[in-house]
């Protein structure tokens, strides 16, 4: 059967979406990554699965931020090397959903 | 120990499970601490969200139908198989779902959970917000309280209900739940779009407070295992995708890109056109089913709701809040019984497990225990929806040529990609998973 | 030492969303919290009390029932007494009337507090008026925009070393003695995270509510229109202007113009002389620049 070409998918940058979400950012990070363990990780699942796009490999090094974390926990479940230490932020801090 | 820090029962998590339990316990006159880590209940909670069987709560709260902040009651259920360029839908609607107790209602969790927790607080539970529970306190093998992340953060009670959500650190710390694997956990990402009540009613053929719950499989999530949903609220739409974490990592796709692809699918785009995004959210869902349900009790501790993986994700069923409420209520009844006997041992609390076994909660999960694996079948996810659409297209195509009879048209379409033997085997598995 | 702190419940900045097209503020998505600058004011008051070893902190708010949350936060953090003022008509009051109500409440006690703390401005309307107006109604000296505060004993009396924030990054250092009103900037300190027993006690506390209209010294002009809202919109940063240097200039001068952005150093001139001469000079300067 002949396939009709699809319209290319336009994706909205994640930062724009996160602007709609309310965060109360604690000074203490609630995510810790053992970046040593990330060296040589080819799969880098965290980079793809994080719904806030918080993980990134830059120049072969793992970089991450915790400020816009949606607190789902997907990253530590996906990490096969168990390099991600993940906890909830302090009570009253972190993300607050309002319209979901 | 301050008398102030001693309670009859501590409930961790003011979601549907925790607040329902706290409501029943406070009404029975117990001193209840209901601890919530968000600034307000619902701040951290995300669902699709359809609350099926809301009658569960209406029985407890006579004013439920007038007061509860639900959006629309579901009278229309749609299941759509998405191909790349086409869609094949099963569309069901009935007025029988439009009479209280409704079969299902859509809710916005920050509003709904806040309301439900306020009902527990009105009944006398002490709602402690902005407080995260880090660990359980033990005396020997028995749980005797919780440790909160504040100075002097110990709280004591002879029994604790852990309704602390999908990540359920407490169930893990208590040794009831194991570490999750990426195969049994799903990630849901969601957007709420404002369309206006009138547009929603016209676009989805709804009248008044009627609502629609629509679910999608196939091309909805590309080659990633999962599905998508679109629910109507009063003047917004909730739409999102739910994908298996392992598959997402394997396919190396970002969840929000999948969400955008879904929104731009030719069968979905006209439905969300002109919608203004109000919020983006994400949550992990324990979709592993029966396999993932942990041991539910130990001395002084019961686990309820998502924390106990009581989520019914079985193909055409996608339910969690009613399972949470029912488990919260069963936990509360068990705690009341334990208080009557002054006995919080594993033996007494096992009554909770028995209550759940007698209710739909564990019966549904057990009866449909094969479904999660079946739903994640590669062909069901990525091949059959497309084939179904192709078959439908062959059936409906008019080319000015003689037609074959339908059976042969459909079989030709199906067998182009899959052997008859595989088809029969998958059919048999579908039967075992869902039908017999 | 008696310290009073005036608190307001306001939408948390990160929860305010202005529709870029209509300019409408989506109030449904507000998360109401203790105004950030007010939390710093409270923290400053508590630290002063703790440092001096004696005294009390009284937290006061004017707002509807929901705003009791901020008093519970204050109690959990360490306030000794709390009180809420409210009358349904207060929903329409502007900052001057609110300040008059607060002043009337503070005057209702046998004596005024030694120190009054306010947040510099609230996260919603940010008028920055209530603090200064309250000082005026009470006839107290005031220091606004406090970003640094140290207390010391000076021959048995409290002496405050205060750093004030001015425009354009300037700072002002002041010495002050009570009685005094201070409005505090939200960078002054980091408000404490209450202990669990304090949090629990605060959640269960009874809160006194007073009707400001019943306060004998409450005098306000309710007919006066204090504030007129002309327009609400999201702030847009001014477009960044790139300087294109005059091509007549030498390359050296052009590079100089580019790296300085075309600005020359700000010029200041110090004029000395008698008050009359100075006034004349000032008027001459203003005329010359076309200001008058």
């Amino acid at each position: 059967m002949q396939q009709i070409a699809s319209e290319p998918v336009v994706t909205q940058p994640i930062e724009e979406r996160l602007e709609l979400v309310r965060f109360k950012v604690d000074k203490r990070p609630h995510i810790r990554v053992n970046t040593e363990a990330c060296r040589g990780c080819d799969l880098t699942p965290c980079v793809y699965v994080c719904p806030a796009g918080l993980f990134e490999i830059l120049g072969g090094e793992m970089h991450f931020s915790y400020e816009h974390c949606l607190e789902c926990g997907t990253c530590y479940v996906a990490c096969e090397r168990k390099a991600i230490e993940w906890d909830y932020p302090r009570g009253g801090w972190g993300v607050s959903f309002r319209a979901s | 120990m301050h008398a102030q820090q001693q309670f009859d029962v501590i409930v961790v998590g003011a979601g549907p499970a925790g607040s329902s339990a706290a409501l029943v316990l406070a009404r029975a006159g117990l001193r209840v601490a209901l601890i919530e880590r968000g600034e307000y209940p619902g701040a951290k909670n995300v669902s699709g969200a359809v609350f099926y069987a809301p009658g569960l709560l209406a029985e407890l709260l006579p004013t439920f139908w007038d007061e509860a902040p639900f959006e629309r009651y579901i009278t229309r259920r749609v299941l759509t198989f998405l191909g790349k360029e086409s869609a094949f839908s099963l569309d069901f609607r009935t007025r029988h779902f439009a009479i209280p107790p409704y079969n299902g209602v859509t809710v916005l969790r920050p509003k709904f959970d806040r309301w439900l927790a306020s009902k527990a607080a009105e009944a006398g539970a002490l709602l402690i917000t902005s407080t995260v529970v880090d660990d359980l306190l033990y005396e020997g093998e028995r749980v005797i309280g919780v440790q909160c992340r504040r100075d002097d953060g110990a709280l004591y009670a002879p029994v604790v209900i852990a309704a602390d959500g999908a990540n359920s650190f407490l169930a893990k710390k208590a040794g009831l739940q194991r570490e999750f694997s990426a195969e049994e956990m799903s990630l849901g990402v969601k957007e709420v779009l404002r369309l206006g009540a009138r547009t929603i009613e016209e676009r989805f053929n709804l009248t008044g407070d009627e609502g629609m719950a629509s679910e999608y499989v196939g091309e909805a999530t590309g080659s990633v295992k999962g599905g998508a949903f679109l629910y109507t609220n009063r003047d917004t739409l909730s739409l999102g995708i739910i994908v298996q974490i392992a598959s997402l990592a394997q396919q190396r796709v970002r969840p929000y890109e999948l969400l955008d692809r879904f929104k731009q699918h030719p069968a979905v785009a006209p439905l969300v056109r002109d919608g203004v995004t109000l919020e983006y959210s994400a949550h992990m869902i324990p979709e592993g089913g029966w396999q993932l349900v942990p041991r539910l009790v130990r001395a002084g501790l019961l686990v309820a709701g998502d924390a106990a993986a009581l989520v019914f994700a079985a193909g055409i069923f996608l339910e969690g809040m009613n399972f949470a409420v029912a488990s919260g209520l069963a936990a509360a009844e068990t705690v009341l019984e334990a208080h009557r006997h002054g006995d919080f041992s594993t033996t007494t609390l096992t009554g909770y497990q028995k209550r759940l076994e007698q209710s739909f909660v564990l019966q549904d999960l057990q009866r449909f225990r094969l479904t999660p694996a079946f739903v994640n079948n590669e062909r069901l996810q990525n091949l059959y929806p497309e084939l179904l659409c192709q078959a439908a297209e062959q059936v409906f195509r008019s080319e000015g040529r003689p037609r074959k009879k339908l059976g042969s048209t459909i079989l030709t379409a199906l067998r182009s990609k899959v052997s008859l033997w595989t088809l029969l085997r998958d059919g048999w598995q579908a039967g075992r998973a869902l039908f017999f | 030492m008696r310290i009073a702190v005036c608190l307001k419940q306001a939408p948390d900045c990160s929860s305010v969303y202005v529709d870029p097209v209509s300019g409408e503020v989506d109030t449904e998505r507000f998360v109401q919290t203790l105004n950030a600058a007010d939390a710093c004011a409270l923290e400053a008051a508590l630290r002063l009390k703790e440092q001096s070893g004696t005294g009390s902190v009284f937290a006061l708010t004017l707002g509807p029932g929901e705003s009791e949350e901020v008093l519970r936060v204050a109690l959990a953090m360490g306030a000794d007494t709390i009180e809420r003022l409210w009358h349904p008509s207060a929903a329409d009051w502007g900052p001057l009337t609110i300040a008059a109500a607060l002043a009337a409440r503070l005057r209702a006690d046998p004596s005024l507090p030694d120190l009054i703390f306010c947040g510099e401005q609230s996260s919603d309307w940010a008028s920055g008026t209530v603090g200064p107006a309250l000082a005026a109604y009470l006839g107290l000296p005031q220091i606004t925009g406090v970003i640094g505060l140290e207390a010391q004993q000076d021959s048995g009396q409290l002496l405050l070393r205060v750093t004030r924030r001015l425009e354009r990054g300037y700072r002002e250092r002041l010495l002050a003695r009570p009685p005094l009103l201070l409005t505090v900037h939200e960078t002054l300190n980091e408000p404490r995270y209450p202990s669990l027993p304090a949090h629990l006690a605060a959640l269960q506390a009874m809160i006194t509510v007073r009707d400001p209209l019943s306060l004998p010294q409450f005098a306000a002009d309710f007919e006066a229109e204090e504030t007129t809202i002309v327009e609400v919109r999201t702030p847009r940063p001014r477009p960044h202007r790139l300087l294109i240097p005059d091509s007549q200039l030498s390359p050296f001068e052009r590079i100089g113009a580019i790296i300085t952005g075309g600005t020359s150093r700000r010029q200041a001139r110090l004029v000395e002389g008698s008050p009359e001469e100075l006034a004349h000079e000032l008027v001459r300067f203003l005329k010359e620049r076309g200001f008058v």
Side-chain angles (χ1 to χ4, degrees):
Chain A
M1 200 187 99
Q2 188 190 348
Q3 286 288 344
I4 314 153
S6 290
E7 292 288 314
V9 173
V10 192
T11 52
Q12 189 193 13
I14 185 64
E15 293 80 8
E16 276 180 29
R17 276 178 240 252
L18 293 174
E19 269 178 30
L20 301 170
V21 185
R22 186 235 179 189
F23 297 98
K24 187 173 159 192
V25 180
D26 199 352
K27 281 187 183 165
R28 287 171 239 181
H30 66 281
I31 306 175
R32 283 199 184 78
V33 181
N34 174 7
T35 47
E36 288 298 312
C38 300
R39 297 236 167 81
C41 174
D42 301 323
L43 198 59
T44 61
C46 56
V47 173
Y48 297 97
V49 300
C50 174
L54 299 180
F55 298 86
E56 222 173 325
I57 303 279
L58 294 169
E61 285 281 320
M62 165 58 65
H63 291 266
F64 74 100
S65 57
Y66 68 94
E67 291 91 330
H68 287 172
C69 175
L70 299 167
E71 295 168 35
C72 64
T74 306
C75 55
Y76 80 86
V77 171
C79 179
E80 286 172 357
R81 301 185 171 207
K82 301 284 160 224
I84 300 175
E85 221 180 284
W86 194 93
D87 202 347
Y88 292 131
R90 220 165 9 139
W93 298 73
V95 71
S96 294
F97 296 116
R98 297 159 289 155
S100 296
Chain B
M1 191 201 308
H2 283 268
Q4 209 192 45
Q5 280 160 271
Q6 176 71 48
F7 291 87
D8 294 329
V9 55
I10 295 170
V11 182
V12 183
S19 291
S20 308
L23 174 68
V24 170
L25 292 164
R27 274 200 189 158
L30 296 194
R31 278 175 47 102
V32 184
L34 175 59
I35 311 179
E36 166 59 43
R37 70 186 183 92
E39 259 181 293
Y40 48 88
K44 310 282 184 181
N45 304 353
V46 184
S47 296
V50 184
F51 178 22
Y52 290 102
L56 284 170
L57 278 181
E59 281 173 28
L60 282 177
L61 297 160
T63 55
F64 184 85
W65 301 119
D66 304 322
E67 236 189 76
F70 65 85
E71 299 285 314
R72 288 173 180 274
Y73 50 81
I74 302 300
T75 57
R76 187 175 167 209
R77 293 286 308 267
V78 184
L79 175 66
T80 303
F81 300 88
L82 278 188
K84 276 196 174 59
E85 303 291 337
S86 36
F88 185 99
S89 296
L90 301 168
D91 190 337
F92 171 74
R93 62 189 304 161
T94 174
R95 285 294 294 171
H96 296 142
F97 288 173
I99 319 153
Y102 304 110
N103 191 61
V105 294
T106 44
V107 297
L108 299 170
R109 295 290 299 274
K111 282 186 194 162
F112 185 79
D113 290 15
R114 205 170 186 167
W115 175 82
L116 187 55
S118 78
K119 290 289 140 191
E122 278 170 28
L126 179 63
L127 174 62
I128 308 170
T129 49
S130 296
T131 303
V132 64
V133 171
D134 274 337
D135 211 340
L136 296 159
L137 299 170
Y138 303 90
E139 193 179 84
E141 285 297 296
R142 212 159 60 85
V143 173
I144 54 156
V146 298
Q147 182 65 43
C148 304
R149 202 185 302 167
R150 284 179 183 275
D151 288 344
D152 296 325
L155 279 190
Y156 298 93
V159 60
V160 173
I161 298 176
D164 56 334
N167 281 293
S168 177
F169 292 123
L170 292 186
K172 283 182 200 155
K173 281 177 178 160
L176 298 180
Q177 181 62 294
R178 56 184 162 79
E179 287 298 322
F180 301 131
S181 86
E183 279 77 28
E184 58 199 3
M185 298 302 278
S186 296
L187 168 68
V189 300
K190 170 183 165 182
E191 278 182 8
V192 174
L193 306 180
R194 183 164 51 210
L195 268 189
R198 214 191 137 85
T199 311
I200 287 176
E201 282 149 29
E202 283 170 0
R203 203 171 279 185
F204 298 98
N205 289 320
L206 303 167
T207 316
D209 294 336
E210 288 179 341
M212 177 201 71
S214 178
E215 276 121 23
Y216 297 81
V217 290
E219 190 57 27
T221 51
S223 51
V224 181
K225 290 175 183 175
F229 63 86
L230 192 159
Y231 303 141
T232 54
N233 304 315
R234 174 121 294 287
D235 49 25
T236 58
L237 296 180
S238 291
L239 94 168
I241 53 151
I242 297 173
V243 285
Q244 188 205 48
I245 295 176
S247 173
L248 195 61
Q250 233 162 38
Q251 305 286 330
R252 314 196 93 184
V253 201
R254 290 175 170 82
Y256 38 94
E257 288 170 8
L258 278 181
L259 182 62
D260 281 338
R261 273 181 65 160
F262 171 62
K263 279 165 76 177
Q264 287 165 46
H265 188 281
V268 180
L271 301 178
V272 301
R273 191 174 51 225
D274 300 330
V276 180
T277 310
L278 295 185
E279 194 161 75
Y280 170 69
S281 53
H283 212 274
M284 196 155 63
I285 310 163
E287 284 203 326
W290 182 248
Q291 307 295 328
L292 193 60
V293 177
R295 270 169 52 214
L296 295 168
V297 294
R298 64 175 281 173
L301 180 73
L302 305 94
V303 190
D306 271 15
L310 299 174
V311 170
F312 188 46
I316 54 172
F317 307 111
L318 208 57
E319 307 185 358
M321 292 181 69
N322 49 338
F323 282 68
V325 168
S327 67
L329 298 179
E333 282 160 26
T334 312
V335 167
L336 288 177
E337 190 184 295
H339 259 285
R340 274 196 296 275
H341 299 116
D343 173 9
F344 305 95
S345 64
T346 315
T347 324
T348 315
L349 297 188
T350 303
Y352 170 52
Q353 171 111 25
K354 296 213 178 80
R355 281 185 169 85
L356 292 185
E357 278 164 4
Q358 282 155 17
S359 85
F360 69 93
V361 176
L362 285 180
Q363 286 196 16
D364 283 358
L365 278 170
Q366 198 199 2
R367 194 160 291 139
F368 291 86
R369 66 191 177 282
L370 299 174
T371 320
F374 164 71
V375 169
N376 277 328
N377 171 319
E378 194 71 46
R379 287 176 299 279
L380 188 79
Q381 283 284 329
N382 297 324
L383 184 60
Y384 293 142
E386 182 65 46
L387 287 185
L388 193 59
C389 289
Q390 285 177 16
E393 194 168 317
Q394 291 305 322
V395 169
F396 290 124
R397 195 176 274 276
S398 281
E399 291 182 309
R401 275 189 273 172
R403 278 181 204 278
K404 291 180 192 153
K405 277 201 161 173
L406 298 190
S408 115
T409 311
I410 294 167
L411 273 180
T412 315
L414 292 180
R415 286 176 61 187
S416 60
K417 292 276 167 53
V418 59
S419 75
L420 193 58
W421 171 239
T422 314
L423 206 60
L424 284 173
R425 211 177 47 197
D426 286 340
W428 166 247
Q429 281 189 355
R432 291 229 308 152
L434 282 167
F435 291 93
F436 315 109
Chain C
M1 182 175 46
R2 286 171 52 231
I3 309 176
V5 189
C6 301
L7 305 175
K8 176 178 175 180
Q9 189 180 45
D12 178 50
C13 286
S14 58
S15 76
V16 178
Y17 189 76
V18 185
D19 189 314
V21 182
S22 69
E24 269 173 42
V25 180
D26 186 349
T27 52
E28 275 216 3
R29 281 191 275 173
F30 280 174
V31 177
Q32 300 283 354
T33 55
L34 171 57
N35 183 42
D38 300 9
C40 294
L42 177 66
E43 178 65 31
L46 294 170
R47 286 184 193 180
L48 272 184
K49 181 190 104 172
E50 283 156 6
Q51 196 188 334
S52 73
T54 57
S56 64
V57 172
F58 171 45
L60 179 63
T61 192
L62 186 146
E66 301 89 80
S67 60
E68 284 190 354
E69 288 299 312
V70 308
L71 293 178
R72 294 189 194 281
V73 171
L75 205 56
M77 282 173 68
D80 299 277
T81 47
I82 53 176
E83 196 176 302
R84 178 166 72 90
L85 299 179
W86 188 241
H87 186 274
S89 68
D92 301 323
W93 292 354
L96 294 176
T97 315
I98 291 168
L102 296 172
R105 171 60 193 87
L106 293 175
R107 278 194 192 281
D109 289 333
S111 67
L112 285 182
D114 302 298
L115 282 172
I116 300 172
F117 280 96
C118 295
E120 186 188 19
Q121 57 185 33
S122 64
S123 58
D124 47 5
W125 294 109
S127 76
T129 313
V130 172
L134 178 58
Y137 283 125
L138 295 175
L140 287 176
Q142 56 170 309
I143 301 177
T144 57
V146 174
I147 54 163
L149 182 64
E150 279 174 52
Q152 61 185 72
Q153 290 296 323
D154 176 49
S155 53
Q157 272 196 307
L158 182 73
L159 182 69
L160 297 175
R161 292 179 173 277
V162 185
T163 311
R164 251 191 103 204
R165 195 178 70 122
L166 302 179
E167 304 264 297
R168 294 170 176 262
Y170 283 93
R171 300 285 181 263
E172 187 173 46
R173 292 221 163 81
L174 300 163
L175 289 175
R177 286 185 198 284
L180 176 75
L181 182 142
L182 297 136
T183 77
V184 164
H185 190 254
E186 63 177 72
T187 54
L188 174 65
N189 53 37
E190 196 181 327
R192 65 194 62 187
Y193 192 61
S195 73
L196 188 64
H199 187 52
L200 291 187
L203 288 171
Q204 299 171 87
M206 289 292 290
I207 294 175
T208 319
V209 188
R210 268 215 211 192
D211 178 358
L213 296 181
S214 72
L215 293 165
Q217 310 212 35
F218 185 33
D221 179 6
F222 293 107
E223 299 306 309
E225 224 173 80
E226 291 185 29
T227 317
T228 313
I229 298 163
V230 181
E231 186 194 9
V232 178
R233 58 180 169 83
T234 9
R236 290 187 195 91
R238 268 180 232 153
H240 189 66
R241 287 216 182 84
L242 278 182
L243 178 95
I244 302 165
D246 187 349
S247 39
Q248 305 297 329
L249 299 174
S250 74
F252 178 78
E253 285 168 316
R254 265 183 279 162
I255 288 168
I258 290 169
I259 61 180
T260 60
T263 56
S264 50
R265 279 191 66 83
R266 211 174 336 176
Q267 288 166 359
R269 187 157 63 94
L270 187 66
V271 189
E272 288 176 271
S274 71
E276 289 78 16
E277 285 168 4
L278 293 181
H280 273 294
E281 187 57 28
L282 194 59
V283 171
R284 201 188 60 75
F285 173 83
L286 290 174
K287 277 190 176 152
E288 186 184 292
R289 297 290 171 104
F291 287 111
V292 289

